[in-house]
Amino acid sequence: MKVNLNAVNFTIDRKLVDFIQERMDKLEKYYDKIVSSDVFLKVEKTSDKENKIVEVKVHVPGDDLMVKKQCKTFEEAVELSAESLERLLVKRKEKIRTHI
């Protein structure tokens, strides 16, 4: 799957890029018609420890699914986002099955 990464106000390291690509690829197990996904990584300037924000937008035919998570690390936020997207994709797949 094509993953577009956007890091806002910082540079992203190779290890994080590989982790995100690998995690997004696993979503295709749940719904095989995913066109692409956009991942936005942001660091919020607060004294709060949970200042890493990950927004994931997954493009599927006829719709876009959007998930936003805020955590201490980008890896944790990506993991939580992917888990939420898995549930959304399974739900969408079941909804489409009932219409056929």
Side-chain angles (χ1 to χ4, degrees):
M1 163 193 357
K2 184 165 176 12
V3 178
N4 302 316
L5 278 173
N6 301 298
V8 181
N9 297 332
F10 73 98
T11 54
I12 188 169
D13 69 329
R14 188 79 219 148
K15 202 170 95 178
L16 186 57
V17 170
D18 293 341
F19 174 78
I20 292 169
Q21 179 69 51
E22 195 178 300
R23 194 60 186 92
M24 290 294 118
D25 285 343
K26 287 181 183 175
L27 292 176
E28 291 186 314
K29 276 195 304 198
Y30 300 93
Y31 191 73
D32 56 357
K33 292 177 176 65
I34 299 173
V35 178
S36 66
S37 62
D38 298 319
V39 180
F40 296 91
L41 305 171
K42 300 173 187 168
V43 179
E44 203 172 62
K45 297 212 179 344
T46 62
S47 57
D48 193 16
K49 287 201 185 330
E50 292 194 355
N51 65 342
K52 311 286 190 299
I53 300 171
V54 173
E55 290 181 29
V56 183
K57 192 176 198 178
V58 175
H59 306 284
V60 293
D63 204 6
D64 287 345
L65 304 172
M66 179 84 172
V67 173
K68 182 178 180 178
K69 297 289 178 194
Q70 186 167 348
C71 294
K72 288 180 186 170
T73 65
F74 283 121
E75 288 83 359
E76 186 184 0
V78 167
E79 195 61 44
L80 290 173
S81 298
E83 287 170 10
S84 294
L85 283 165
E86 286 169 8
R87 287 191 295 275
L88 288 171
L89 290 168
V90 167
K91 214 182 278 183
R92 181 174 176 78
K93 192 175 188 176
E94 286 170 358
K95 195 185 209 179
I96 288 173
R97 268 204 196 124
T98 59
H99 291 298
I100 295 175

